[in-house]
Amino acid sequence: MAADTRSPSPALPGFEHIRRRWDPTYNAFTCRILPGEFYVTLRDEGITTTLGSCISACIRDRVYGIGGMNHFMLPSDGSDSGNLRASGLSDATRYGNYAMEHLINHILRNGGRRENLEVKVFGGGRIIANMTDVGARNIAFVRDYLGMEGLTTVAEDVGDVHPRMVVYFPASGRVRVKRLRSLHNNIIADQERSYIDSIKKQPVAGDVELF
């Protein structure tokens, strides 16, 4: 069988580094994002990631079809509190704000309208031993953030003990979520521990203002 020679349309500025490939399962180009990344598209293409304790917010303009997905985790601050609103602008909250607002701002910069945004949220599983609050804190943060910003969540699959593979198509809003078996847990947990170590070493991002 001849190799598939199809090439994807150019990515939006700032996302050229995200590799896309033709996926015959979905008959579309898809890209995979890793912890700490996000991707926004105007095209009918998929965005996929694998989540353990991390959260992915899938956000799109339901009228114009532009949207994207992020993949983030709050850095651990030793607190078990799920109510981040009451704690002020902690490092963890600022990091989550940065992840959410960058995704939303890129959607708005490329033609999306705030009043058209719909949100779907996934992840926050309890898969890392001795860090059982991490997924719950991530869920609490994203729900709190969306509530304060007046954005409505139209679907979510969060919590429990399973990692998830998520495929999202912003043009249509279609999402496929597959809960993975426990044999994947160690790989995903190791990836997330590495991610936690990396963000502990990074300075906290400054404030980002929404359009």
Side-chain angles (χ1 to χ4, degrees):
M1 182 179 294
D4 195 308
T5 59
R6 282 172 283 203
S7 298
S9 301
L12 291 174
F15 298 102
E16 297 90 347
H17 64 290
I18 302 291
R19 184 179 178 183
R20 292 170 290 162
R21 64 179 182 84
W22 181 257
D23 190 329
T25 300
Y26 300 104
N27 198 34
F29 284 97
T30 64
C31 70
R32 179 177 179 82
I33 60 171
L34 300 174
E37 295 183 336
F38 71 102
Y39 184 78
V40 173
T41 181
L42 290 162
R43 312 291 182 185
D44 187 12
E45 57 187 359
I47 311 167
T48 182
T49 200
T50 304
L51 301 165
S53 304
C54 291
I55 288 286
S56 276
C58 301
I59 305 178
R60 74 176 191 124
D61 181 311
R62 61 182 178 273
V63 175
Y64 297 105
I66 179 172
M69 175 199 285
N70 61 21
H71 181 153
F72 72 93
M73 177 188 288
L74 304 184
S76 176
D77 61 2
S79 169
D80 290 332
S81 171
N83 185 358
L84 299 182
R85 180 184 301 160
S87 65
L89 194 61
S90 67
D91 285 0
T93 308
R94 291 184 65 169
Y95 188 85
N97 285 344
Y98 184 86
M100 292 296 294
E101 291 174 7
H102 267 65
L103 172 60
I104 294 170
N105 276 343
H106 274 77
I107 293 171
L108 300 183
R109 282 188 195 132
N110 286 282
R113 298 179 64 88
R114 186 179 177 83
E115 62 268 25
N116 297 336
L117 296 183
E118 67 175 24
V119 184
K120 300 179 181 180
V121 178
F122 306 96
R126 193 172 67 250
I127 70 161
I128 302 180
N130 303 319
M131 297 185 68
T132 56
D133 69 314
V134 175
R137 289 178 65 247
N138 291 329
I139 295 167
F141 164 77
V142 75
R143 286 174 173 169
D144 201 44
Y145 175 91
L146 294 169
M148 288 188 292
E149 294 296 329
L151 297 173
T152 301
T153 303
V154 299
E156 68 173 36
D157 181 23
V158 297
D160 211 327
V161 297
H162 303 287
R164 296 164 170 86
M165 183 177 70
V166 179
V167 185
Y168 177 54
F169 290 85
S172 65
R174 181 166 59 110
V175 182
R176 179 179 179 184
V177 181
K178 180 179 181 181
R179 294 193 173 196
L180 304 176
R181 292 180 296 178
S182 59
L183 62 87
H184 296 275
N185 283 18
N186 289 339
I187 296 173
I188 297 169
D190 288 344
Q191 174 182 272
E192 293 194 349
R193 286 191 189 97
S194 176
Y195 175 42
I196 290 171
D197 289 342
S198 71
I199 60 180
K200 283 179 179 177
K201 298 173 185 177
Q202 296 173 355
V204 178
D207 295 335
V208 179
E209 293 185 4
L210 289 171
F211 288 106

